[in-house]
Amino acid sequence: EELFEYITRVKNQLDEAKGIEALKAALSEAYEARLPTEHIQEAVDRLGTREAAHHNLQLAMIASRCPGLIAAIEATEGMYLPIEEEARRHLDALAHSELLLNASLATGLIVDLTAALESAAESGLREDELIATVKKLKQELEDERERAGTELKASIEARFPKRLRKAIAWSESAQVDEDLVESGRQLASF
């Protein structure tokens, strides 16, 4: 009867083992207890599946793209892989960065574009097309801001009211430094 209880306990451990290491330990004990081949083979198959899922999860984390990581995490449900929690945190960071990138495109503010690009670099997000679009828009806006600021400075120096009002309007829309724009407004109000 003790042998039956031992074999039952070993089989239950094998059936209930969570994660990779616990399953490996249960398999080792199952081999020692000389459980029937069909029980051991089923556990070996589960171990192979878990190891493959673990590897796919690692690759998805390296790729740092939300859709692939989501799919890899979903594939590991119920496998109790130790890397799963890290993958979820990584996905949260990637999703946050992607959200910031899309939001910055909507606002068109240089400060938002800069913060979104910094977040993407920090999280390792690899949505290359989206990042390139944000970088391009940021560069275009910075170039326009530079041109508008240069024109505003020249208009302040020239002191032609009509030219100054146009330069102020352009500078406001081009996100020129508020102190410089305010200097132009004060001069234009005289």
Side-chain angles (χ1 to χ4, degrees):
E1 191 166 306
E2 278 184 33
L3 180 61
F4 178 74
E5 288 177 13
Y6 171 69
I7 290 175
T8 302
R9 183 181 57 77
V10 169
K11 184 181 178 320
N12 287 341
Q13 284 177 337
L14 192 61
D15 291 340
E16 297 169 5
K18 297 179 178 180
I20 293 174
E21 295 307 315
L23 187 52
K24 283 180 180 179
L27 265 170
S28 178
E29 196 167 344
Y31 282 122
E32 287 179 22
R34 304 218 189 279
L35 283 186
T37 307
E38 61 269 7
H39 295 300
I40 292 176
Q41 187 56 50
E42 181 184 309
V44 167
D45 291 345
R46 277 188 296 149
L47 179 61
T49 300
R50 288 179 186 179
E51 287 176 335
H54 183 269
H55 180 70
N56 287 340
L57 199 50
Q58 286 176 318
L59 292 177
M61 288 173 65
I62 291 168
S64 290
R65 298 192 72 226
C66 290
L69 189 52
I70 289 169
I73 289 172
E74 287 174 354
T76 65
E77 285 297 319
M79 292 187 190
Y80 304 98
L81 301 178
I83 195 174
E84 190 176 342
E85 188 59 38
E86 180 185 350
R88 289 185 187 282
R89 283 192 305 272
H90 189 58
L91 176 61
D92 288 344
L94 295 176
H96 177 73
S97 293
E98 189 170 354
L99 178 71
L100 288 178
L101 288 168
N102 285 314
S104 72
L105 286 174
T107 66
L109 296 175
I110 294 171
V111 66
D112 291 346
L113 296 164
T114 301
L117 288 169
E118 288 171 359
S119 174
E122 186 177 307
S123 70
L125 183 67
R126 301 284 297 268
E127 296 292 345
D128 297 337
E129 189 174 316
L130 178 59
I131 291 169
T133 301
V134 171
K135 282 181 178 178
K136 181 180 178 202
L137 177 60
K138 180 179 178 266
Q139 186 61 54
E140 289 170 358
L141 292 173
E142 287 174 336
D143 291 347
E144 182 178 355
R145 178 175 64 187
E146 182 67 32
R147 289 190 308 273
T150 301
E151 174 59 24
L152 181 57
K153 287 175 188 174
S155 297
I156 289 171
E157 287 290 319
R159 297 179 184 259
F160 292 123
K162 189 175 181 179
R163 179 180 174 190
L164 184 56
R165 283 190 293 278
K166 283 184 177 181
I168 291 169
W170 184 22
S171 295
E172 288 171 339
S173 68
Q175 305 175 51
V176 172
D177 178 63
E178 186 59 34
D179 291 338
L180 181 58
V181 174
E182 186 56 36
S183 296
R185 282 191 202 114
Q186 287 176 1
L187 183 61
S189 67
F190 288 112

